[in-house]
Amino acid sequence: MANVKLTNVKKVYSNNVEVMRDINLDIKQGEFIVFVGPSGCGKSTLLRMISGLEDISSGTLEIDNQDVTQVPPSLRGVAMVFQSYALYPHMTVYDNMAFSLQIAKIDKKEVDAQVRRAAEMLQLTPYLDRLPKALSGGQRQRVAIGRAIVRRPKVFLFDEPLSNLDAALRVATRMEIANLKESMPDSTMIYVTHDQVEAMTLADRIVLLSAGNIEQVGSPLDLYANPENVFVAKFIGSPAMNVMPCIVETAGENTQIKVANTFSINTPIASPAGDSGKPGFFGVRPEDLALAQDGEPALLEGEVSFVESLGEATLLYITVPGLEEAVISKQQGTLQIQKGDTIRVTAVPEKLHLFNQDEQSYRCL
Amino acid sequence: MGQLAIAFVTMTLGVLACAGYFYGSNALLDSIFPSKNRPAEVIARNLRIVNQVRPWLFLGPALLLLVFYLFYPVVQSAILSFYGRTGEEFVGFANYIWLFQSGEFLESFRNNMLWLIVVPTLSTFFGLIIATMTDRIWWGNIAKSLIFMPMAISFIGASIIWKFIYEYRSGGDEQIGLLNALVVFFGGEPQTWIQIPFWNNFFLMIILVWIQTGFAMVILSAALRGIPDETIEAAVLDGASGLQIFFRIMVPQIWGTIAVVWTTITILVLKVFDIVLAMTNGQWGTQVLANQMFSWLFQGGGDYGRSAVIALVIMALVVPIMVWNIKNANAEMEGR
Amino acid sequence: MVTSNKGSALNLVVHATVLFLVIMWTIPTAGLFISSIRDKDQLSVSGWWTALSASEQQKVYRTAGAESEIQENGVYVLRGNLLEGGSGEVTKFGISSLKPEAFAPGQEAKSRRDVRFKVMENGDYEVISEKSFRRGVRIFYTAEIPPRFTLDNYRTVMSSEGLGQSFINSLTVTIPATVIPILIAAFAAYALAWMKFPGRALLIAGVVGLLVVPLQMSLIPLLTVYSKIGAFFGVDAKGYVGIWLAHTGFGLPLAIYLLRNYISGLPGEIIESARVDGASDFVIFRKIILPLSFPALASFAIFQFLWVWNDLLIATVFLGNTEESLVLTGRLRELLGSRGGNWEILTASAFITIIIPLCVFFGLQRYLVRGLLAGSVK
Ligand SMILES: Nc1ncnc2c1ncn2[C@@H]1O[C@H](COP(=O)(O)OP(=O)(O)OP(=O)(O)O)[C@@H](O)[C@H]1O
Ligand SMILES: [Mg+2]
């Protein structure tokens, strides 16, 4: 129903800490946007600025092509679902959902119809007369969502709505939110989480934040395959990408690098000529590191210092001489490799990542 | 019946007027700056104005009352203390000089100090003991209710209750006061307890201890229940005895609460005058500051200057305790 | 709590100690109550703990005079009952104050003027004389009177001692003086806890600071202002509005402090959620804050009720000491002065003043405890 546009948005709290620096973001109508980032990076702050609960220190916010920077929350046409549900504990499920409509002095019949429709959609009809304390966590979360739906907002805002649920329920509710989105293709949704699985599965586009900055915006697969910098590369994916310091030996169409002074690697990634001889970072995802066949040239070689068997996969921690951190390799199934074995690993050239000394990816320069 | 009706109407009017203010002022605000059926910018502007004004509508009555009933009087008392009995002629420090030279002031000051030491200490002590013990017996809640009960009784009512206990009958008459009856039963001489110099102060203090112990007990009992069981269990495993657990594990953990209880009662003690007024009216060496001030306020037409000085002394005594208490509370909050 | 497992001996000590303390704490009130329902003659001669046993009383009875004498067989006779129909047993009687126990019931006593007295155990007497009685004669007697419980004392104080009026006065003072401060404090507490405006922190500090001001300090300046206002409007400076506002003013610092503590502890997301839902602060206050802070409001209400009901100082100063305006505590104090020795009046009056707070207290004490805790232990 509406697009959301942030231009040069900043947030400075009263203690003069700048928690958001110059955010520019264009969200199209009907998009499902997920904000992810480490704890304290400002996801909630950004979301609350969009909702109007937090003042915008400078910059502008537009919703539906209207400048709403100074508009109070209730007039922005947004609905928010909080992590703690924020249900009114003294009102029944029905009253919780009807509250905003009653305040807007909407006709009783209309309110009733809206509430029942939302309850139907979320399978809450049997619980309409209950108080929130008589509901399970998942049901409470659905009431909170229902409360948002009833208002027919232009933009839905979710702040970590699933983090109070246990693992199984989290998966189920995640599916429900995905279904909800599908049934309301026109509504814009902004969703905050620090769980990258949620981000990957739900998002049309992910906004990755760190310390008040946007690190990268893109589709989940884009962020996975083409991280713009080391931070994104390490944040997306589990276990995190192996990133190790290297020296750029020859820059050019194909960049030749040296890792740990031993391993020369030729990557199909272009780099500016001037970077020859400079330090950089070389990255490869654990799941892309395969065991090298006999005779096949190895990317890296080292001693297995630790083996983690997860059942469906095995994680090998390889100590490579000259590297501080162990390199992790993720192999399918179970293996006959033991601690102390020396192994050689390799990877397809397209899956390699190369970053310059400022941690920016050469692929995206 | 007529009286009742008038009383009822008065009450209703008073309460309605107050509720009416809040309803009316907020409705007025919303109607001057409407937030419906207007262009969006107008609504946004109106809402911003409303949000700036409304806090002061909410706070208004409270601020007015606080300033008028508490803040202004403090300033005014300070000024009055330099004026004569009617508050009209300036007398400089005469009231202060009078105060510090008057024997009655020294007596009430000494007595107040006694009260300050004895009442909070005994109340807190008994409160702690009772809280600890009632927590471990099945009828503890009933016991607590009964001990808490005097909290509901007015000081003046309590004074009558205790006056009856201290009642003295002269000659060979049968004693109807419980205390003298007990004394006689054990072969002693009955006494007019509230006239025995110096010790009579303690007979008055008992009344306040009797009232305040329940308060201390309830607060401390809640604090005791807040102590994590694990710490006590750990101490039991470490081989601590019951008393050791009490003094070395439990008391230190509720130290903050003990301080709060102690200061609350201390402040109350400084303000209490009803008991002295009703029991002895300050005779027989039992005067305290609050009652002295009260009697200077009314005695022989009243002396505003002198009672203002005494009021200032009372306040001066409370301030350090309160400052200490606020500091404590702040430190505790920061620690969390 | 770890239950003591040091054997039953220690447990027994605990039970005994608590029992002892409970008795110590309840006996004064119990004594007051029992005394207040005893017969006033018994009350003044024996301790209340003897209330259940019979008491022996020495008394004087004056018979009626000539107007009720009957002429029988040429002699004049006075008949009646010493105990006036009450139960009891006369054990001795006498006809002179020197020998009040000279005769046993059933015996006949003869005075110097040849008047014959006869008293039976049940108190019936017969006085016979040759000449007409000019005035009543005195009979001294000792009687065993069984315990008598009566509500007479209450009837007396409610009607003739003005306690009924004072009771109404107390209610008229107390109820608005409880409700008004709660309303005002709750609004202020909400503003201080959840609304944004400049100077908020300063105001909170100010409220805490005012907690220390002793009441006594305010009396003189306020009295002056009150009488000026009264003179200005040509009304009595001492009235209900004045005392309501005074109690409100004095109760506010604690009320705001306690309620703000509680209200700021409510989950912020609920309030924000309501704000996003389009509720104004007034609606949020009414529909969300008020219902959710009921426990705190109730507890403060009880606290304030007890404090106002039991207050003597403010009532004396702002409502005055006149017969129509005395509240219960003031009345009690006056009785203490004027009827210091009449324990039947004092005990009954005292019990009337404490009965309402006791009911409020026992009915709602769990809220009281919660409210006290909100302010101190958190
Ligand atoms: N009222 C405030 N005053 C000052 N700093 C604040 C305030 N609220 C938040 N911050 C700071 O702003 C930063 C961003 O906070 P925010 O709540 O947006 O983080 P977040 O990304 O949502 O983290 P989480 O995943 O833990 O919820 C934090 O460093 C926080 O300390
Ligand atoms: Mg957050």
Side-chain angles (χ1 to χ4, degrees):
Chain A
M1 273 177 266
N3 62 343
V4 177
K5 189 168 175 200
L6 294 99
T7 321
N8 301 98
V9 167
K10 286 188 186 164
K11 176 72 192 177
V12 183
Y13 274 116
S14 48
N15 51 1
N16 279 331
V17 183
E18 194 173 50
V19 288
M20 300 306 314
R21 317 194 166 86
D22 204 20
I23 300 291
N24 286 289
L25 189 61
D26 204 343
I27 299 169
K28 287 188 275 305
Q29 169 182 355
E31 257 191 314
F32 198 120
I33 294 286
V34 175
F35 293 170
V36 281
S39 184
C41 68
K43 306 179 293 287
S44 302
T45 307
L46 190 54
L47 194 75
R48 291 162 57 83
M49 285 197 289
I50 297 174
S51 74
L53 290 170
E54 208 73 74
D55 292 337
I56 295 173
S57 305
S58 74
T60 56
L61 167 71
E62 285 169 43
I63 296 179
D64 209 5
N65 297 322
Q66 284 188 340
D67 184 348
V68 293
T69 317
Q70 299 293 329
V71 173
S74 53
L75 301 178
R76 291 189 182 189
V78 299
M80 188 145 169
V81 176
F82 293 89
Q83 174 178 356
S84 63
Y85 322 129
L87 299 182
Y88 310 127
H90 57 299
M91 298 184 192
T92 60
V93 170
Y94 184 98
D95 288 334
N96 260 287
M97 298 213 273
F99 186 69
S100 61
L101 301 180
Q102 285 165 350
I103 285 178
K105 301 228 159 56
I106 286 174
D107 179 58
K108 267 217 173 98
K109 281 203 196 98
E110 171 71 14
V111 173
D112 192 63
Q114 293 270 17
V115 170
R116 293 203 182 272
R117 198 177 53 92
E120 199 61 41
M121 223 164 124
L122 295 162
Q123 293 132 38
L124 284 170
T125 314
Y127 311 112
L128 280 177
D129 290 330
R130 291 208 195 162
L131 286 178
K133 65 174 177 231
L135 297 179
S136 73
Q139 289 163 341
R140 282 180 212 182
Q141 191 58 68
R142 292 214 296 272
V143 176
I145 294 171
R147 211 166 58 176
I149 294 176
V150 164
R151 301 189 56 210
R152 304 182 186 230
K154 299 175 188 165
V155 183
F156 283 91
L157 306 173
F158 298 88
D159 192 353
E160 309 205 18
L162 305 186
S163 53
N164 277 0
L165 305 180
D166 67 39
L169 206 52
R170 201 178 296 181
V171 174
T173 317
R174 199 172 74 205
M175 307 274 279
E176 265 174 47
I177 292 179
N179 287 337
L180 184 76
K181 178 71 190 83
E182 230 158 76
S183 65
M184 297 190 293
D186 286 340
S187 351
T188 313
M189 295 193 176
I190 305 178
Y191 187 104
V192 165
T193 179
H194 57 243
D195 177 15
Q196 49 163 304
V197 182
E198 268 172 45
M200 299 296 276
T201 51
L202 288 171
D204 293 330
R205 284 197 295 158
I206 290 180
V207 176
L208 183 53
L209 294 162
S210 130
N213 290 309
I214 294 186
E215 295 289 341
Q216 188 171 355
V217 183
S219 73
L221 290 183
D222 198 25
L223 260 64
Y224 178 80
N226 298 310
E228 280 177 13
N229 55 40
V230 172
F231 180 84
V232 180
K234 281 188 148 175
F235 192 84
I236 303 282
S238 166
M241 181 191 283
N242 300 302
V243 176
M244 51 208 99
C246 67
I247 302 289
V248 179
E249 285 188 325
T250 30
E253 198 73 355
N254 284 339
T255 311
Q256 178 86 22
I257 58 165
K258 189 157 224 173
V259 173
N261 283 330
T262 335
F263 306 96
S264 279
I265 301 168
N266 198 359
T267 65
I269 303 169
S271 56
D275 279 2
S276 286
K278 287 195 178 164
F281 295 92
F282 166 68
V284 58
R285 294 199 180 275
E287 52 271 35
D288 294 336
L289 276 178
L291 292 178
Q293 306 293 322
D294 290 343
E296 202 181 344
L299 200 63
L300 297 166
E301 183 176 338
E303 187 179 300
V304 175
S305 59
F306 195 64
V307 180
E308 265 181 2
S309 293
L310 305 177
E312 96 280 5
T314 307
L315 297 184
L316 303 172
Y317 290 72
I318 308 162
T319 314
V320 179
L323 289 183
E324 275 181 17
E325 283 174 46
V327 173
I328 303 173
S329 161
K330 186 176 181 182
Q331 305 294 328
Q332 293 304 313
T334 40
L335 302 173
Q336 293 304 318
I337 297 176
Q338 280 170 10
K339 188 175 166 175
D341 294 354
T342 298
I343 58 165
R344 304 184 314 129
V345 287
T346 180
V348 257
E350 286 71 39
K351 301 277 188 181
L352 302 182
H353 301 265
L354 200 54
F355 308 90
N356 66 13
Q357 56 184 342
D358 300 327
E359 304 196 350
Q360 299 300 314
S361 170
Y362 279 118
R363 275 188 207 270
C364 306
L365 279 178
Chain B
M1 225 55 252
Q3 283 171 349
L4 256 183
I6 293 173
F8 187 76
V9 171
T10 326
M11 281 188 260
T12 322
L13 281 183
V15 173
L16 281 185
C18 176
Y21 159 79
F22 285 110
Y23 255 95
S25 65
N26 278 286
L28 190 69
L29 185 68
D30 285 333
S31 71
I32 296 178
F33 300 105
S35 59
K36 286 201 174 70
N37 309 325
R38 296 290 146 95
E41 317 86 71
V42 178
I43 293 186
R45 201 202 61 210
N46 280 354
L47 277 182
R48 246 175 300 129
I49 297 174
V50 163
N51 282 340
Q52 275 166 15
V53 175
R54 212 191 298 272
W56 302 105
L57 289 187
F58 280 21
L59 279 168
L63 290 185
L64 279 182
L65 289 169
L66 285 176
V67 167
F68 178 65
Y69 282 95
L70 293 167
F71 185 70
Y72 160 76
V74 173
V75 178
Q76 189 62 23
S77 294
I79 297 172
L80 270 180
S81 68
F82 295 104
Y83 283 80
R85 48 183 306 135
T86 54
E88 277 156 8
E89 54 178 319
F90 184 78
V91 296
F93 282 95
N95 290 323
Y96 290 86
I97 294 167
W98 160 79
L99 184 72
F100 291 110
Q101 286 175 351
S102 95
E104 197 186 14
F105 171 71
L106 295 181
E107 174 195 311
S108 4
F109 196 80
R110 181 205 68 183
N111 288 345
N112 256 113
M113 288 299 142
L114 274 181
W115 280 74
L116 281 181
I117 295 167
V118 174
V119 176
T121 314
L122 282 188
S123 306
T124 315
F125 174 76
F126 279 121
L128 187 58
I129 299 281
I130 297 171
T132 321
M133 286 188 168
T134 47
D135 267 347
R136 36 178 81 206
I137 54 180
W138 57 268
W139 50 285
N141 279 335
I142 303 171
K144 273 189 215 161
S145 276
L146 289 173
I147 288 176
F148 196 27
M149 181 189 67
M151 270 285 285
I153 298 176
S154 64
F155 292 136
I156 200 99
S159 301
I160 291 189
I161 292 178
W162 283 85
K163 209 166 184 175
F164 193 46
I165 288 184
Y166 297 148
E167 175 76 359
Y168 167 76
R169 285 289 153 104
S170 58
D173 286 0
E174 189 178 341
Q175 297 295 337
I176 67 166
L178 184 60
L179 186 57
N180 274 324
L182 281 177
V183 167
V184 170
F185 180 78
F186 288 110
E189 268 301 299
Q191 304 277 341
T192 42
W193 301 103
I194 57 174
Q195 293 177 18
I196 307 173
F198 187 71
W199 299 106
N200 51 4
N201 280 305
F202 292 90
F203 288 110
L204 303 196
M205 291 179 209
I206 287 176
I207 304 176
L208 196 53
V209 172
W210 178 68
I211 295 177
Q212 288 301 316
T213 296
F215 168 79
M217 171 200 71
V218 165
I219 305 278
L220 291 174
S221 147
L224 282 174
R225 248 178 278 146
I227 295 178
D229 278 353
E230 293 81 14
T231 60
I232 296 167
E233 280 157 11
V236 171
L237 292 182
D238 285 347
S241 74
L243 275 184
Q244 281 171 327
I245 291 178
F246 181 71
F247 283 111
R248 305 199 24 199
I249 310 291
M250 288 160 72
V251 171
Q253 291 195 63
I254 57 167
W255 199 241
T257 313
I258 293 180
V260 168
V261 168
W262 196 85
T263 39
T264 314
I265 299 179
T266 304
I267 290 174
L268 184 90
V269 166
L270 275 174
K271 298 189 192 172
V272 162
F273 82 108
D274 325 32
I275 294 179
V276 175
L277 178 72
M279 295 296 282
T280 62
N281 197 11
Q283 290 167 282
W284 307 299
T286 55
Q287 189 65 292
V288 293
L289 289 175
N291 189 52
Q292 195 186 359
M293 192 239 140
F294 183 77
S295 47
W296 276 107
L297 192 54
F298 291 110
Q299 217 170 63
D303 186 326
Y304 283 3
R306 290 186 174 176
S307 28
V309 171
I310 304 174
L312 284 174
V313 171
I314 299 177
M315 174 138 160
L317 287 176
V318 185
V319 167
I321 303 170
M322 201 65 193
V323 167
W324 178 72
N325 201 32
I326 291 174
K327 266 197 193 147
N328 248 9
N330 283 347
E332 212 165 284
M333 268 190 224
E334 276 159 20
R336 294 191 180 173
Chain C
M1 188 93 323
V2 184
T3 40
S4 165
N5 47 7
K6 286 267 167 70
S8 58
L10 184 64
N11 247 333
L12 215 62
V13 173
V14 171
H15 278 278
T17 318
V18 175
L19 189 66
F20 173 74
L21 288 168
V22 166
I23 290 175
M24 291 286 288
W25 251 258
T26 40
I27 263 196
T29 322
L32 180 85
F33 173 66
I34 293 175
S35 301
S36 73
I37 55 169
R38 289 182 76 201
D39 182 75
K40 77 175 189 206
D41 296 327
Q42 299 188 345
L43 173 58
S44 57
V45 296
S46 61
W48 56 267
W49 51 94
T50 64
L52 279 179
S53 58
S55 67
E56 183 159 278
Q57 291 181 12
Q58 292 193 342
K59 289 203 157 174
V60 193
Y61 183 86
R62 183 176 281 281
T63 66
E67 66 279 2
S68 53
E69 66 189 15
I70 324 167
Q71 224 173 341
E72 263 176 25
N73 310 329
V75 291
Y76 296 88
V77 183
L78 285 171
R79 285 209 184 82
N81 189 294
L82 291 177
L83 304 174
E84 291 176 331
S87 56
E89 195 178 309
V90 175
T91 51
K92 304 258 169 53
F93 76 97
I95 51 176
S96 85
S97 57
L98 296 175
K99 290 185 184 164
E101 303 190 342
F103 305 94
Q107 276 183 314
E108 189 178 87
K110 207 172 199 170
S111 80
R112 272 170 288 148
R113 292 200 204 108
D114 267 354
V115 182
R116 282 170 295 155
F117 293 80
K118 206 168 190 182
V119 174
M120 309 309 292
E121 267 185 8
N122 65 2
D124 287 342
Y125 65 86
E126 203 174 50
V127 188
I128 305 170
S129 168
E130 305 283 321
K131 284 176 275 175
S132 166
F133 294 93
R134 260 174 297 128
R135 50 196 183 92
V137 292
R138 291 189 301 171
I139 305 174
F140 301 84
Y141 68 96
T142 306
E144 286 275 354
I145 312 258
R148 268 215 301 265
F149 293 107
T150 153
L151 291 177
D152 280 350
N153 301 334
Y154 287 94
R155 257 174 238 132
T156 315
V157 295
M158 283 307 273
S159 54
S160 62
E161 300 291 343
L163 230 68
Q165 168 78 50
S166 295
F167 198 87
I168 295 176
N169 290 347
S170 271
L171 274 180
T172 318
V173 169
T174 309
I175 292 176
T178 307
V179 179
I180 295 175
I182 290 180
L183 260 181
I184 292 182
F187 273 101
Y190 171 71
L192 291 177
W194 289 108
M195 290 168 95
K196 284 185 198 145
F197 58 91
R200 192 171 79 161
L202 202 72
L203 281 183
I204 297 174
V207 168
V208 174
L210 287 179
L211 280 171
V212 295
V213 176
L215 247 167
Q216 282 89 348
M217 172 138 259
S218 307
L219 301 182
I220 310 162
L222 290 178
L223 267 182
T224 328
V225 179
Y226 266 45
S227 58
K228 275 185 198 148
I229 294 177
F232 184 78
F233 289 107
V235 292
D236 190 0
K238 299 190 168 177
Y240 284 116
V241 177
I243 194 173
W244 293 338
L245 291 179
H247 273 303
T248 306
F250 298 136
L252 271 181
L254 185 69
I256 297 179
Y257 179 73
L258 287 181
L259 293 181
R260 198 198 82 91
N261 268 355
Y262 190 92
I263 290 177
S264 65
L266 294 175
E269 295 193 339
I270 289 184
I271 290 151
E272 291 183 335
S273 168
R275 234 169 240 172
V276 176
D277 276 352
S280 73
D281 281 305
F282 189 60
V283 174
I284 295 180
F285 180 81
R286 248 181 46 228
K287 297 230 164 129
I288 296 179
I289 302 292
L290 274 191
L292 289 187
S293 26
F294 178 76
L297 296 175
S299 64
F300 177 75
I302 301 162
F303 217 30
Q304 176 81 358
F305 181 93
L306 292 180
W307 155 242
V308 174
W309 184 272
N310 290 338
D311 156 78
L312 172 64
L313 183 59
I314 301 177
T316 316
V317 176
F318 291 108
L319 209 52
N321 268 329
T322 60
E323 185 62 19
E324 313 83 68
S325 63
L326 271 182
V327 293
L328 279 177
T329 43
R331 174 77 60 185
L332 213 50
R333 169 176 169 236
E334 206 178 72
L335 289 178
L336 206 51
S338 64
R339 305 299 205 102
N342 298 28
W343 283 109
E344 77 279 2
I345 290 185
L346 286 180
T347 52
S349 310
F351 201 76
I352 287 175
T353 67
I354 67 177
I355 188 79
I356 294 269
L358 280 187
C359 290
V360 168
F361 175 80
F362 277 116
L364 301 168
Q365 62 169 314
R366 58 205 177 102
Y367 292 116
L368 181 63
V369 174
R370 263 191 249 168
L372 287 173
L373 298 186
S376 48
V377 201
K378 241 199 117 181

